[in-house]
Amino acid sequence: MRTYVLILLSLVLLKANHSFAANTCANDPQGTRGLGKNQSINNALKTANDPLTKAFLASIGKTDCPPPSTPIKTANDINKVVRSALPSGRIKAECIQASMQREVGNLGYSCKKGQPTAFENFKESVPCIDQKTFNFVQYSVNQALKCMSPAEDPIDPRVILRKINNETGFNFYIGYSGGVGIGQLTSDPVNEIAGWWSTSKVRDPKSKRVIKQNKYTPGNAHSILETLAANPNPACAPFKKIIEKELTTPPPSPGSKKNYCSWLSVGEGLGRSLVYGLGYYVYARDHFIKEALADRAPALLKYNDVVNTLTLVAYGPGGPAQAKSLIRTLRLNNRSKPFEVIKQVTQKSDYVSQTNDKMKELMTNMNKTSPTPEDLRGDTCVAP
């Protein structure tokens, strides 16, 4: 019966008293943005044949319960059922939909045979995200969270929601020089995980000639990929297939436009971006933030919101260096009050402040014009 509940969730994009019609765009449910002309992303899903898309299609086909056409009362009725059936750590459908309704801008790309074609991701040119594509995005994000979360210290989905909402509004097809894909990855975090090839000149001992020699160096966070490859969690199966060759050969760099489809295409690109994005979050949190706090303010380690806020800084443009600099300049210690720490970091970090502003936009799209601190933190967007 639980499978049936999950299917019902897929059929209803939870926005107050709004049923998701077949010809409606999730990112324009009221039709006020004029979307619908650009169907490139929806069409790409129809032809996708990657492991993640196959897993998604298989997940919606497995049910012994009544068919999905069973009448649904209201979004609120379904929300009550789903709230008790879904495991914790899942980002809610209505929050992803509200995020998608933000005007994000920038250039989007559709991919055909690995070749990117650019389009303006602005106003009427924004691609319509239909019900099936929306369900696929929600499925992919939540499966990645389930897969990539360390059992001893799971990924906080609120941080991931805030990060993605700020960067792309779940417009996973965006790419430009500042970042590519759903989490706007750059080459540095990818290299930190997958490693890189370097070329050096050496003298051949037999011929005495100088030759070029390629050397592969695993990244400092290569264990992220190794752990994924060994993870028996069924949620990891499609992600393992996507990155299996990257255990010994780095993926195409997101810094080059010709490689964009490896990071933002429907299916494989989205899956790869989620693996590296969530993987880097875990690495930054555990190897930079927690270690820095352990040295200066170990008492703060038990406050997840402090760790999350500092990790968000490390996850942003300033990287771990900015987060560690804030820990020093704010002179954090065991007497520091968690609430004040979060307040000070938010004031000092443009990225965290911007993230809060974008959460206000998300909440406005959910008809919450006066969001609480808990709303802005993402508490109301995670299934209990």
Side-chain angles (χ1 to χ4, degrees), residues 162 300 305-310 313 326 330 332 336-354 356 373 377:
R162 292 165 65 198
L300 292 176
D305 288 337
V306 171
V307 175
N308 286 341
T309 303
L310 287 166
V313 176
L326 281 174
L330 293 176
L332 300 189
S336 299
K337 297 179 180 180
F339 176 80
E340 286 298 322
V341 171
I342 294 171
K343 181 179 178 180
Q344 289 176 317
V345 171
T346 302
Q347 291 173 341
K348 295 286 186 181
S349 169
D350 291 340
Y351 186 75
V352 175
S353 178
Q354 181 187 69
N356 286 346
R377 194 169 57 196

Side-chain angles (χ1 to χ4, degrees), residues 84-101:
S84 61
L86 292 180
S88 61
R90 295 176 61 90
I91 300 174
K92 292 181 181 179
E94 63 264 40
C95 294
I96 296 178
Q97 185 185 11
S99 180
M100 282 186 174
Q101 292 173 55

Side-chain angles (χ1 to χ4, degrees), residues 171-236:
N171 292 196
F172 62 88
Y173 47 79
I174 288 176
Y176 77 117
S177 59
V180 181
I182 193 167
Q184 294 294 273
L185 282 166
T186 59
S187 297
D188 286 346
V190 172
N191 292 342
E192 190 78 5
I193 294 174
W196 59 90
W197 286 101
S198 58
T199 303
S200 59
K201 293 182 179 180
V202 297
R203 188 173 297 279
D204 184 89
K206 293 183 178 180
S207 66
K208 306 300 181 181
R209 296 170 56 189
V210 175
I211 59 174
K212 291 183 178 180
Q213 186 177 67
N214 294 324
K215 179 184 178 182
Y216 168 64
T217 303
N220 294 324
H222 195 262
S223 59
I224 295 293
L225 298 181
E226 296 169 1
T227 300
L228 170 58
N231 195 332
N233 186 339
C236 294

Side-chain angles (χ1 to χ4, degrees), residues 132-190:
K132 188 173 183 180
T133 304
F134 175 87
N135 294 343
F136 171 69
V137 174
Q138 187 198 10
Y139 169 87
S140 300
V141 171
N142 284 324
Q143 287 294 99
L145 280 167
K146 188 186 297 184
C147 167
M148 299 297 293
S149 283
E152 66 280 4
D153 193 359
I155 295 172
D156 190 332
R158 300 174 304 169
V159 181
I160 304 306
L161 168 67
R162 292 165 65 198
K163 165 74 174 176
I164 294 176
N165 177 63
N166 181 31
E167 295 282 1
T168 61
F170 290 86
N171 292 196
F172 62 88
Y173 47 79
I174 288 176
Y176 77 117
S177 59
V180 181
I182 193 167
Q184 294 294 273
L185 282 166
T186 59
S187 297
D188 286 346
V190 172

Side-chain angles (χ1 to χ4, degrees), residues 229-336:
N231 195 332
N233 186 339
C236 294
F239 301 105
K240 290 164 69 171
K241 290 180 181 178
I242 289 173
I243 61 92
E244 60 185 353
K245 294 181 180 179
E246 291 158 32
L247 287 167
T248 55
T249 302
S253 171
S256 174
K257 187 178 295 185
K258 67 179 182 180
N259 298 329
Y260 277 8
C261 288
S262 295
W263 300 96
L264 51 67
S265 63
V266 173
E268 182 173 326
L270 175 58
R272 180 174 286 108
S273 284
L274 287 168
V275 166
Y276 282 85
L278 296 182
Y280 189 72
Y281 163 81
V282 172
Y283 180 69
R285 181 194 66 182
D286 295 350
H287 294 272
F288 295 118
I289 304 306
K290 288 188 175 182
E291 288 184 5
L293 285 176
D295 287 340
R296 300 183 67 96
L300 292 176
L301 284 170
K302 63 183 179 181
Y303 296 102
N304 288 333
D305 288 337
V306 171
V307 175
N308 286 341
T309 303
L310 287 166
T311 303
L312 194 58
V313 176
Y315 210 21
Q322 183 182 10
K324 292 194 289 185
S325 176
L326 281 174
I327 292 173
R328 292 192 301 271
T329 57
L330 293 176
R331 298 180 179 180
L332 300 189
N333 56 61
N334 285 340
R335 295 185 300 277
S336 299

